[in-house]
Amino acid sequence: MDSIWTKSADMPEFPILETELHTHVLIIGGGLTGILCAYFLQQAGVDYCLLEKNRICSGITCGTTAKITAQHGLIYGKLLQEKGAETAEQYLRANLLAVEEYRRLGSKIACEMEEKNACVYSVSDRSELEWELTALDRLGFPAKFVDCPTLPFRTEGAVCFPHQLQFHPLRFAGGLAASLNIYENSGVRRMTEHLAITEKGSVTADKIIVATHFPFINTRGVYFMKLYQERACVTAWRQAPDVDGMYIDAAPDGLSLRNYKNFLLIGGGSHRTGKTVRRTSPRRSSGVPEEYSRESAFAREFFRSRTADWGLRKLKTEAARCFPTAEFAGAWAAQDCMSLDGIPYIGPYSPSTPELFVAAGYNKWGMTGSMVSAMLLSDLVQEKENMFSELFSPKRRILTPQLAVNLLEAIKGIAKPTLRGRCSHMGCVLKWNPEEKTWECPCHGSRFGPNGAVLDNPAGKPLRKIP
Ligand SMILES: Cc1cc2nc3c(=O)[nH]c(=O)nc-3n(C[C@H](O)[C@H](O)[C@H](O)COP(=O)(O)OP(=O)(O)OC[C@H]3O[C@@H](n4cnc5c(N)ncnc54)[C@H](O)[C@@H]3O)c2cc1C
């Protein structure tokens, strides 16, 4: 299930680390976050190197839909209500700056960057859109209310951010990475605050940035409690209309849309990794024609219990109903780390490790998230002030309802008796995903191939016993 990006980009190649090195800043992880951090440090004349476990951008970055926008669903009304005007205003500002930085860098790299409107639509609730518009108005951002004439299903309208961007993420990252100091196939196996050991070499560093998507050091920062992972699918369709913009449903189980060349990319089927897709409530069923919603709840539940859905089947059905003339061209899936309060963790890894840094928890908005991380962390490792350091600080308050959900999932996963294998991360019972043919951990989102090899963090070791 390679993504359209992987199939259409030639990435630069880098050597394996086979020596002992010293550098000022070590970056671990060569996704968009790590590459942008490396680029900013190189620009600032800082001595650095980057270690990547596989090939660069072979993690979540190659599975994205690559919309670059400061519009992260309907987040501003929520931030304003839960965290106040200053936090909401700063979050908006940081992400708008990230969009502008992409615009600047993208103009120098052949990465098919295009300016588009970003829109959050609703199929059922105009009032949630109005609430968001009121919040944005209070924050002084000129969002617009629009109808969605290019969408072939009925909506209640959309909140629109003008002048946002879409691009080819791997062409952008590959273009930036070509001149950077990177080692590939050099995964960090063990580390301390100033030392990282790979299979064939090691790096000592004054400062280390962990940009491995899910932070893999368990003994600091309790990221195994502060993060969970959500998986989603993306499908590509030919003979589909140009929707002329980047769209996403306000409902978490809805669709995400953008065009790339002559393809329409339709994302959806979001679910906690290791769990099947939530039942779609008829009122919230985004973009789904009405006859689907009129199926009896019993029939739907019966069908679901017989054939648990891991995202792709549901997404393909919904997409085909919304775009009946479209021809299915391919699909892939990816997952992202979800923070407790909707704001990423960017800053010192833990209060006791001031020279170890982390960037994680982008809540599926990691294009701007990784740019914000690179701008912020490149300042912090140079001991410069940055106005967003408090907002994204990983040491902020974590008492949220999501924390209770994460703890409950972990307790259930660890306590559940099984004669079969367990996750090599913290011992949770794994679940088989028949659509992707993978073993998945509902606690923290680690994934393993049928042979037990690690596919996704935070697990670092393969399965000792195949379930
Ligand atoms: C379906 C989907 C659609 C999305 N669409 C959008 C979108 O439209 N817009 C948006 O803003 N965001 C989107 N996102 C989110 C975004 O794609 C991610 O947040 C972002 O790509 C994460 O980048 P990263 O560099 O943090 O992680 P990754 O790309 O996963 O990079 C981490 C790297 O670290 C490496 N690594 C791991 N462990 C080690 C180790 N021990 N040693 C060395 N290297 C290691 C991995 O191999 C990997 O290459 C989407 C997410 C999903 C799931």
Side-chain angles (χ1 to χ4, degrees):
M1 295 223 293
D2 278 346
S3 74
I4 203 163
W5 317 122
T6 307
K7 286 179 184 162
S8 58
D10 283 327
M11 299 300 277
E13 292 184 21
F14 300 92
I16 298 176
L17 179 77
E18 289 178 312
T19 179
E20 288 175 8
L21 279 186
H22 177 77
T23 183
H24 184 47
V25 182
L26 168 65
I27 300 155
I28 306 177
L32 200 51
T33 305
I35 287 173
L36 284 167
C37 286
Y39 175 78
F40 276 66
L41 292 177
Q42 178 155 296
Q43 293 296 302
V46 175
D47 182 37
Y48 74 93
C49 77
L50 185 155
L51 297 179
E52 162 56 43
K53 180 167 70 168
N54 301 314
R55 299 286 317 281
I56 56 161
C57 291
S58 58
I60 309 308
T61 297
C62 68
T64 183
T65 41
K67 303 170 179 172
I68 303 171
T69 173
Q71 184 188 49
H72 297 174
L74 299 181
I75 196 174
Y76 293 101
K78 181 172 171 271
L79 283 180
L80 204 56
Q81 187 181 53
E82 291 175 4
K83 301 223 173 208
E86 194 184 338
T87 299
E89 191 272 331
Q90 278 209 323
Y91 187 85
L92 175 63
R93 200 155 154 196
N95 284 289
L96 288 172
L97 281 174
V99 175
E100 289 319 306
E101 196 55 29
Y102 271 110
R103 200 186 308 276
R104 189 180 73 78
L105 293 177
S107 67
K108 301 179 201 159
I109 300 170
C111 62
E112 293 155 295
M113 192 171 272
E114 296 172 278
E115 189 174 284
K116 293 283 173 190
N117 290 342
C119 301
V120 179
Y121 66 86
S122 174
V123 291
S124 57
D125 187 356
R126 189 182 170 108
S127 63
E128 63 183 345
L129 303 177
E130 285 163 354
W131 192 57
E132 181 75 355
L133 277 168
T134 309
L136 287 161
D137 189 47
R138 269 190 67 191
L139 300 175
F141 183 75
K144 291 185 292 189
F145 184 85
V146 293
D147 296 321
C148 305
T150 56
L151 298 187
F153 46 84
R154 195 181 60 76
T155 71
E156 295 289 321
V159 177
C160 165
F161 276 39
H163 311 304
Q164 308 295 289
L165 302 166
Q166 62 184 28
F167 70 155
H168 188 307
L170 299 198
R171 292 206 171 136
F172 175 83
L176 271 191
S179 60
L180 299 177
N181 186 21
I182 294 176
Y183 295 91
E184 287 184 321
N185 298 306
S186 304
V188 173
R189 299 183 157 195
R190 277 183 298 129
M191 65 174 289
T192 62
E193 199 180 344
H194 295 286
L195 168 70
I197 299 171
T198 66
E199 190 192 354
K200 296 184 174 163
S202 66
V203 180
T204 52
D206 304 319
K207 312 206 173 180
I208 299 184
I209 295 174
V210 177
T212 54
H213 190 240
F214 202 117
F216 67 107
I217 306 165
N218 271 336
T219 49
R220 297 275 190 273
V222 291
Y223 292 96
F224 60 87
M225 277 161 48
K226 295 200 292 201
L227 291 170
Y228 74 98
Q229 300 204 58
E230 243 187 52
R231 200 155 177 81
C233 304
V234 185
T235 50
W237 301 77
R238 281 193 203 91
Q239 318 291 353
D242 182 351
V243 293
D244 191 24
M246 304 181 286
Y247 288 89
I248 192 156
D249 193 331
D253 51 4
L255 301 180
S256 154
L257 306 162
R258 71 160 274 193
N259 290 91
Y260 170 66
K261 292 195 165 164
N262 57 340
F263 295 98
L264 176 63
L265 306 186
I266 307 181
S270 275
H271 57 283
R272 188 176 177 119
T273 305
K275 300 214 146 202
T276 51
V277 175
R278 278 185 296 260
R279 187 166 74 88
T280 308
S281 86
R283 199 187 73 80
R284 303 287 300 171
S285 64
S286 59
V288 182
E290 275 178 21
E291 70 272 15
Y292 187 60
S293 304
R294 275 195 246 112
E295 280 172 12
S296 89
F298 174 76
R300 214 169 37 235
E301 202 42 29
F302 178 79
F303 181 66
R304 187 181 116 89
S305 62
R306 289 294 162 105
T307 54
D309 194 322
W310 291 82
L312 184 57
R313 195 164 50 84
K314 176 175 184 282
L315 173 61
K316 276 173 81 172
T317 309
E318 288 190 11
R321 283 174 193 258
C322 293
F323 298 91
T325 59
E327 189 187 300
F328 179 70
W332 66 91
Q335 61 191 33
D336 210 10
C337 292
M338 313 298 284
S339 68
L340 292 173
D341 57 2
I343 298 178
Y345 304 118
I346 310 168
Y349 202 100
S350 74
S352 63
T353 53
E355 297 187 319
L356 181 65
F357 298 86
V358 70
Y362 296 144
N363 306 293
K364 297 198 201 131
W365 295 109
M367 298 296 102
T368 45
S370 51
M371 184 63 86
V372 169
S373 295
M375 296 192 290
L376 175 48
L377 293 180
S378 60
D379 275 353
L380 294 188
V381 296
Q382 292 179 77
E383 292 171 21
K384 289 187 190 162
E385 295 272 305
N386 185 295
M387 64 184 294
F388 302 117
S389 55
E390 279 303 305
L391 170 64
F392 294 104
S393 170
K395 68 169 192 249
R396 65 186 183 267
R397 212 174 87 91
I398 61 166
L399 294 175
T400 62
Q402 186 61 46
L403 178 69
V405 176
N406 291 358
L407 286 175
L408 199 67
E409 286 295 342
I411 292 166
K412 269 191 334 197
I414 292 166
K416 200 169 168 180
T418 181
L419 294 173
R420 303 156 103 200
R422 290 176 177 272
C423 181
S424 63
H425 175 230
M426 291 182 77
C428 293
V429 173
L430 297 168
K431 202 144 186 194
W432 177 246
N433 173 343
E435 276 184 15
E436 296 194 57
K437 306 212 172 358
T438 46
W439 291 103
E440 299 186 355
C441 175
C443 299
H444 308 104
S446 298
R447 296 173 63 250
F448 304 86
N451 58 356
V454 179
L455 300 176
D456 276 303
N457 273 359
K461 292 187 189 143
L463 296 179
R464 266 193 298 161
K465 183 173 166 195
I466 310 292

